[in-house]
Amino acid sequence: MKTPGDTGFAFPDWAYKPESSPGSRQIQLWCFILELLRKEEYNEVIAWQGDYGEFVIKDPEEVARLWGARKCKPQMNYDKLSRALRYYYNKRILHKTKGKRFTYKFNFNKLVLVNYPFIDMGSGRGVPQSAPPVPTGGSHFRFPPSTPSDVLSPSEDLRSPGMFSSVARRLGRGSVSDCSDGTSTNSELEEGVGGEDRGGVGPERAFRGLLHPRLSHDSLFRAYGGPGGLGRPPPGHRVHGDPMSPFPVSPLPGPGGLLGPTLSPALSMTPGSHLPYTPSPSLSPMLGSHFSFNPDDMKRYLQAHHQSVYNYHLSPRAFFHYPNIVVPQPHRPSAAPDKPMTAHHHAPPMPHSHSLHHHQGEEQHPSPFKFKLQPPPLGRKQKDGSASSTGGSSSSLGSCYAASGLLSNSSSVGPKIKVEPVSDVESDEEVEVTDISEEDELLDDGEGDVFIPPHPTNGTAPTAIINGNLGAIVEDDLDEDVFKTPAAPPMGPLTPSLLGLKSEPGQGPPISPGGTLCIPLKLRFKRRWSEDQKMEADGEREEAEDKKVRAEKQVEPARRESENGEGPRTSLSLSLHAPPPPAQRRASSELQRATAQLSLESHGAC
DNA sequence: GCCGGAACCC
DNA sequence: GGGTTCCGGC
């Protein structure tokens, strides 16, 4: 943790590379940029503009100066800084907004809807470790909590937007750095108000003040939900428009950031993070993050995700529809108070505290979910050559995002939720999200204090979308279409082939209206696990395509596959119908066990 | 202004 | 590995 009181920006731990990484503990430029972006005092120097994640450097030299100050590089100038920024192109952290001087854009696309470190079935809880990726509509991104505890639930995102600027604010604009040491910044700072003086300054700021550390359920959704200031809502899919569509949360890491918890490098970067699920500090965030969730958080998470899908303009298919969860209308308060949520919100705004969520601390059940960062993007040349390659792990982003599961996990050691593009078209956003309705059920089992309407409010078919490895998808060049509205999800030929994957005897693979099918979680996990393992062994993600082909040929029911612990890596679009049939309920139990087992296996694998 | 290679530093 | 510095080219 940074030492509060230090001069300079207050950067959270996650903003620094983990000790495990040589040369680590240094703030990364993109983090720095984000930091500047979220501070009002630098609005004249750098500010969000245009599309999601797009920002303009109004005063290049000043930014360079600040950066130089931060890095103790007095000789820094925009030319150099821009070079550093250009390096982000290949990493796809940023890309240049062509035609606009000093304008860059964060590629949040790849950062969102990637991993859904859902449940820790073993614990029967479902506490989303990462907040659903939600863009702020190009407005304000916030840093993720500096401590894992901050990342525990989406609700964290509701905290005050700023977390590191209080000091900066005090210090004022020239005090960006004391050059004392890149790691000495304090992460406890808080703008304390993210919206305090930004309200009313344009769409992106309009919602600045909407977030409150203790958001109501409604607020939560608002936070995760609105199309965002820049809203580019999917045609016809706007979730009840909250005109303000306050995207209090940022697409980037941060309490409330897109990358927020998701990114939250803190998870992996904070050694000593008291989090049970915290992966080895030195590990790549994606490699060993274990998550456990509580039901409430899970629900919120799902709900948030539900909305986030819209936010990201994902195809309807990608819309995370949770059978048992109704996504509250952003503008309408939830009928039932979300007690648990409150619990999470009671966290002090300055939560860099080391206190963890109690559940977290108590729930030691290993979670099978692990994450890997998506591989670094290929260089231009490489990109030209090869279409899509997945795999590999990224670094900086990973540091900042991985823990929270935002990044894709093209490959992971343990079971992972994987996603594969169903079609070549708009594959970037053709995401299938793993349905977790059963998890929900499980989660609900122990905590029924949250009322969840039995029916979706949006009228969409209860199609759960499996999401996870967006990496493969995101892997594609998103440079120019990062925020494009996804094309309608074509039903790939694959789906029919999956019919054979029926999970319940005699019940046949139910095909949801969305064309997805139901399959027991257990099977899914198993399958995924097996696949992952296999993939891991192969080390060739490129085989996914090949496997898909095989999957199409697959005639045997999924059960067999799962029992064999092997199966083609198929693209699954699952849908669960609520309420789940008794068989599914059983499956849930089994799933818990299976998950626990997988978790253990996963651990062993690591 | 922007790009990206290359060498170098930490 | 991430960033810095330098630099030639567009």
Side-chain angles (χ1 to χ4, degrees), chain A residues 467-595:
Chain A
N467 177 23
N469 184 354
L470 184 55
I473 295 168
V474 176
E475 188 58 30
D476 295 334
D477 186 355
L478 302 175
D479 289 352
E480 300 305 327
D481 54 353
V482 174
F483 300 106
K484 282 181 183 175
T485 298
M491 274 330 287
L494 190 56
T495 302
S497 69
L498 294 176
L499 293 176
L501 299 176
K502 65 167 104 179
S503 57
E504 297 302 331
Q507 182 171 338
I511 303 295
S512 71
T516 58
L517 48 83
C518 294
I519 181 172
L521 266 185
K522 182 180 178 179
L523 292 179
R524 295 206 299 274
F525 282 118
K526 272 199 160 189
R527 287 169 58 80
R528 279 184 226 142
W529 170 249
S530 299
E531 293 167 6
D532 291 341
Q533 290 298 301
K534 186 171 182 178
M535 290 300 276
E536 195 71 15
D538 293 342
E540 293 299 330
R541 261 163 288 245
E542 288 73 11
E543 294 181 359
E545 189 64 27
D546 182 53
K547 290 179 180 177
K548 271 199 257 184
V549 173
R550 283 187 289 160
E552 293 179 355
K553 296 178 181 177
Q554 187 72 28
V555 178
E556 286 300 314
R559 196 193 331 176
R560 191 149 113 193
E561 290 178 4
S562 67
E563 289 179 1
N564 293 337
E566 240 181 20
R569 195 183 183 84
T570 60
S571 176
L572 296 177
S573 209
L574 307 175
S575 89
L576 297 179
H577 304 280
Q584 286 190 338
R585 291 177 185 285
R586 284 197 302 278
S588 295
S589 307
E590 294 175 11
L591 178 57
Q592 283 190 51
R593 288 194 295 276
T595 303

Side-chain angles (χ1 to χ4, degrees), chain A residues 1 12-14 144-147 149-150 159 162-164 186-190 255 274 348-355:
Chain A
M1 269 317 186
D13 283 341
W14 62 264
S146 58
T147 64
S149 61
D150 293 341
R159 270 192 327 226
M163 289 186 70
F164 321 104
N186 86 49
S187 54
E188 310 217 82
L189 318 177
E190 174 21 47
H274 3 276
M350 231 23 323
H352 299 292
S353 64
H354 295 268
S355 63

